[in-house]
Amino acid sequence: MSEPRGSVALRFFEGALWTTGRNLLQIVLGLVTLTLVARELGPATYGLFGVAMLVYGIAEMVCGGAFTDSIIQRKEIDPGHLDATFWLTMALATAVAVVMVTGSTALAALGGHTDAAAIVAALGVVLPLAVASRVPMALLARELRFKAAAQIGAAATIASCALGIILVLRGSGVWTLVAMEALRVLVTLVGAYLAVAWRPAWRGRWHHLRDLWRFNAGVLLTYSLGYADLHLPRLLVSHLLGPQALGIFMLAIRVYGELSRLLTEPLHGVAMSTCARLQNAAAELRRTVLGLYAASRLVVFPVYLGMAALAPWWLPWLFGPRWLAAVPAVQLLLLGGVRSATGAYNPAILLGTGHVRALALLFAAGCAVSLVAFPLLAPYGVTFAAAAMLLRQFGTWPLALRQVGRATGLSMADQLSGTAAPLAAAALAAATAGLVTSTLQATITPIPATGVAVVAGALVYLGMLWLLAPKTVRQIGALAIACARRDRSQIASLLARPA
């Protein structure tokens, strides 16, 4: 029996709100911790942790996410599939953990610096705990229980950041970051098993693995290419420029990533489950994707462009003068918000609709652009490395439009519709904010000047949006009023309207 029109969209919307709340808490606490850690460690030490995380990320991808996404995507699932997936991933995680501990020096050298060997070994011990939570967390996503997932994430963040603040104030150095990751994994593990009724048993059989293999094999290849696409820039910077430059580059990526966690991850986190539910409802799928894009542009464009314009003032104040070299890199990466306003959801849409090969091709294209752009540009410094990363983002855009179009039936024109008005409004708002800050800094300190600039930019953005897209502004207002009144039927009705 199909769900009523607006029902899936409403659960998508509510899930995004819960994820946004969780991520906002994570970002506030994470920003406080990152500020203290960045000031204490400096770029070189922070870069060493980045080298270790390259290795750890590959291990977690191979052992965990590449196999548990089939739990979310598959239409029919039984306890045997869950058990088989759990024991397979745990066996892989244990084996890889042994390799990370015993071969930490060689793995750190592959990452770019042997001084990270001890960190690689410590993270190897954490790996099986991280993988053990993957199946129950996938179950929460499958069941659209985003509130529970958000609460688990929030608890893990609070505990991790609290520990990080204590340890950094005690001068624990890079081990602060390792301890934070370990506690985050542990709290997530406990919370995941408290939230679901399923427990590991021995109900899995070979035919359960065969049922999942076709999707998992494609996903493993896709995840491998996706990880390479995401982390190849860091690996190239590490080898071409060393840990000091890697630390600066990683901070720039972290700033970009924190904004993504707040602005695009809440929608991304629920998009795959929603698209999987709508695989056989083409019209509803298209409406949902277009609504997703429209909502993302309205928020992502002004925030990313505004933060880029104001980076010369807020970044040194926040992280200290040792990180001044990160300002141009941060600005360039934030310009990529124009692309990520829709591109951030490509993996969720393509995996949710079962188009695994299309996503693999997209990731492979990103790797190809990186392998050309980074060796050419990165040797000239971190700023040029950021320019190479921006080139990778925009260079794969046409292919991404084509692949999403095949998965959803949306033409390139459909996917790009509605871009001009919020982009023009956001660009003018960002220019206004930068001009106001530059004018006021001679008379008041940078932070109050930045605050005034943010208010001025927001007013310009809303005013321009009203002039260029009044219908959109009215619909946002109606949705905000419905949310304030907790009128779920009105919210569902608004979300079900064609984009």
Side-chain angles (χ1 to χ4, degrees):
M1 181 176 178
S2 62
E3 298 187 61
R5 175 179 287 193
S7 174
V8 175
L10 176 60
R11 297 177 74 179
F12 178 96
F13 179 73
E14 291 176 336
L17 289 181
W18 275 109
T19 309
T20 299
R22 178 201 68 187
N23 286 4
L24 182 59
L25 174 65
Q26 288 179 332
I27 287 169
V28 171
L29 293 175
L31 188 60
V32 172
T33 309
L34 177 62
T35 300
L36 293 173
V37 170
R39 285 178 173 269
E40 175 71 21
L41 299 184
T45 306
Y46 193 67
L48 287 179
F49 182 73
V51 170
M53 285 301 291
L54 285 171
V55 178
Y56 178 72
I58 293 174
E60 190 176 15
M61 176 272 297
V62 170
C63 301
F67 291 96
T68 53
D69 273 354
S70 58
I71 295 172
I72 303 172
Q73 197 272 344
R74 187 176 170 84
K75 293 179 182 179
E76 301 292 336
I77 204 85
D78 64 50
H81 293 113
L82 302 179
D83 292 349
T85 300
F86 176 82
W87 292 115
L88 173 63
T89 55
M90 287 305 298
L92 286 171
T94 302
V96 173
V98 171
V99 172
M100 288 179 67
V101 172
T102 58
S104 58
T105 301
L107 292 172
L110 290 174
H113 210 289
T114 55
D115 287 349
I119 307 172
V120 171
L123 291 174
V125 177
V126 175
L127 178 66
L129 298 177
V131 172
S133 67
R134 285 289 193 161
V135 169
M137 291 302 290
L139 274 175
L140 292 178
R142 176 183 176 82
E143 297 166 3
L144 304 184
R145 293 177 58 196
F146 303 116
K147 178 180 177 180
Q151 290 171 334
I152 294 168
T157 296
I158 292 171
S160 174
C161 290
L163 178 64
I165 292 170
I166 293 170
L167 292 180
V168 77
L169 292 177
R170 291 187 175 185
S172 299
V174 72
W175 294 105
T176 297
L177 297 170
V178 177
M180 287 176 63
E181 176 64 16
L183 185 58
R184 183 194 66 79
V185 164
L186 182 60
V187 173
T188 300
L189 176 63
V190 173
Y193 281 96
L194 289 176
V196 299
W198 171 83
R199 293 292 182 270
W202 300 101
R203 292 160 294 192
R205 298 294 184 267
W206 284 111
H207 72 85
H208 290 116
L209 289 177
R210 287 196 300 270
D211 289 345
L212 300 174
W213 174 246
R214 183 177 179 183
F215 184 82
N216 283 340
V219 169
L220 181 58
L221 173 61
T222 301
Y223 266 58
S224 300
L225 290 170
Y227 188 87
D229 183 37
L230 180 65
H231 292 285
L232 186 59
R234 304 181 198 191
L235 184 64
L236 292 171
V237 169
S238 177
H239 282 276
L240 292 170
L241 299 175
Q244 173 88 8
L246 177 62
I248 294 171
F249 188 66
M250 280 192 60
L251 183 77
I253 292 176
R254 178 69 183 273
V255 169
Y256 178 87
E258 290 299 322
L259 282 179
S260 297
R261 286 174 65 190
L262 179 63
L263 302 178
T264 61
E265 188 179 300
L267 294 173
H268 180 281
V270 298
M272 180 178 170
S273 302
T274 304
C275 289
R277 286 288 186 96
L278 298 174
Q279 289 180 78
N280 298 319
E284 185 70 11
L285 175 63
R286 287 192 291 270
R287 278 195 297 270
T288 299
V289 171
L290 289 177
L292 168 67
Y293 284 174
S296 182
R297 290 188 193 102
L298 288 172
V299 180
V300 170
F301 285 170
V303 175
Y304 274 72
L305 296 182
M307 291 289 285
L310 298 175
W313 293 280
W314 62 259
L315 194 145
W317 176 83
L318 199 60
F319 299 113
R322 286 193 291 179
W323 295 93
L324 269 172
V327 170
V330 167
Q331 290 179 305
L332 285 170
L333 292 184
L334 290 178
L335 291 179
V338 175
R339 167 75 176 91
S340 65
T342 56
Y345 312 109
N346 291 336
I349 294 169
L350 294 175
L351 283 178
T353 55
H355 290 74
V356 179
R357 292 182 180 178
L359 183 58
L361 178 61
L362 187 58
F363 285 148
C367 292
V369 175
S370 293
L371 287 171
V372 174
F374 273 85
L376 289 175
L377 297 177
Y380 296 100
V382 174
T383 301
F384 285 88
M389 195 161 180
L390 191 65
L391 180 63
R392 177 187 65 83
Q393 283 186 283
F394 283 95
T396 58
W397 198 349
L399 178 61
L401 291 171
R402 183 177 179 84
Q403 300 298 343
V404 171
R406 287 178 173 177
T408 62
L410 292 168
S411 67
M412 290 187 182
D414 290 335
Q415 294 177 60
L416 294 174
S417 63
T419 299
L423 182 58
L428 184 58
T432 301
L435 180 61
V436 169
T437 305
S438 181
T439 303
L440 293 179
Q441 67 170 342
T443 56
I444 60 176
T445 55
I447 297 307
T450 302
V452 173
V454 169
V455 173
L459 292 175
V460 169
Y461 179 67
L462 292 174
M464 288 298 299
L465 203 58
W466 179 263
L467 289 174
L468 298 173
K471 181 181 177 182
T472 299
V473 175
R474 285 195 294 268
Q475 190 164 358
I476 293 171
L479 188 59
I481 292 171
C483 289
R485 294 175 177 173
R486 299 183 180 181
D487 188 344
R488 298 181 83 250
S489 62
Q490 178 65 8
I491 294 171
S493 175
L494 289 167
L495 293 173
R497 291 177 185 174

